[in-house]
Amino acid sequence: MFSLSLPLDVPGGTVLNPNRYPPVVRPSLRAGAVNFNCDMAVAIPGATDVMSDDLVVLHTQYSTQWDAFGHAGAVFDADGDGVPERVYYNGWRAGTDVVGPSSPDSAGLESLGSLDGADEGRASTSDAGPADISHMARHGVQGRAVLVDLEAHLGAARTVVGFDVLAQVLDADAVTVEPGDIVVLHTGFARELLARNGRPTPGSVNVCAVLDGADRDLHDWIRDSGVAAIAADNYAVEAFPPTREPRGTPALPLHELCLFRLGVHLGELWWLSELATYLRERNRSRFLLTAPPLRLPGATGSPLTPIATV
């Protein structure tokens, strides 16, 4: 078995995304005392236990993650009246089905100072509803996966990969992708992150292969292949910031295709290098993948610890 998760405090810092922060871990309280190396006697006189509990402030898409369908929608004329609306996969509407606060005061780390109703589960200010990650968790994620080793052919240099290059790699390694497969892309990016020891710089993350999200031939291949999900060891799976000026098109066209149009989940920042080495040494590409997200109602993504069984 191979664990395909990075430590959840990797990449480190906010270089990849200035709006996503590393986890914050703090102790809870017990009978008013700091509940870390805490004598249980503060709550139950005479007890000899020493207890430690904690809480976590976690950006769900900071490290190894699945994207939920509520992560990326589109401005799209869903009802054919000539007026586009903000919608998500399956036509779920922004503001009706997928809801969030209207004020920045109720969003971001600073808003955590106000936690009224937390003891009753009423402190959340956003809810992706029918497009949240808990539906993926309830169904479960386990099945045949196929690894595409882009790094073995393209090295560690920044390379934007369209369908033509992808097809060459598939052919060179005799990789077959069938309907229902989960495609896993190894680029070496996560290994580059680990080499930075939690201190990546902007220049150090402009490395390794990324898919060309604007390549229409690549879109056609993803749609026609019938893949169930796509995961990669890099940030965003596709090139971001985009290599082309959007001009009325999405900045993340592959996200729109997969999460909005097709219902194909995307995984990012997985740890794949050890698995890739094992499979290449044995001239293999397939494995059993078990990768359920957290069953966290309302969330637009989730950290996870995927497991490859070979």
Side-chain angles (χ1 to χ4, degrees), residues 4 46 51 62 80 86 95 102 138 183 185 191 256 268-269:
L4 307 183
M51 307 298 294
Y62 181 77
R86 292 181 299 158
S102 58
R138 183 177 62 191
V183 173
L185 305 170
R191 187 171 56 222
E256 181 184 276
E268 302 174 25
L269 294 172

Side-chain angles (χ1 to χ4, degrees), residues 66 136 139-147 176-184 221-231 262-265 270 286-291:
W66 277 125
M136 188 188 196
H139 177 274
V141 182
Q142 186 175 57
R144 184 178 62 201
V146 57
L147 186 137
T176 300
V177 177
E178 298 182 75
D181 283 349
I182 300 171
V183 173
V184 178
W221 178 81
I222 292 172
R223 182 194 65 230
D224 297 341
S225 67
V227 299
I230 300 172
L262 298 180
V264 171
H265 289 279
W270 290 28
R286 291 184 173 183
F287 59 97
L288 173 67
L289 177 66
T290 305

Side-chain angles (χ1 to χ4, degrees), residues 195-250:
R196 303 298 181 269
N197 295 315
R199 296 179 180 84
T201 61
S204 71
V205 296
N206 190 31
V207 293
C208 302
V210 290
L211 294 184
D212 182 356
D215 184 351
R216 292 299 171 184
D217 290 337
L218 181 60
H219 285 210
D220 292 344
W221 178 81
I222 292 172
R223 182 194 65 230
D224 297 341
S225 67
V227 299
I230 300 172
D233 62 351
N234 62 15
Y235 174 65
V237 182
E238 62 184 307
F240 186 79
T243 57
R244 301 173 175 87
E245 186 176 346
R247 294 190 178 181
T249 60

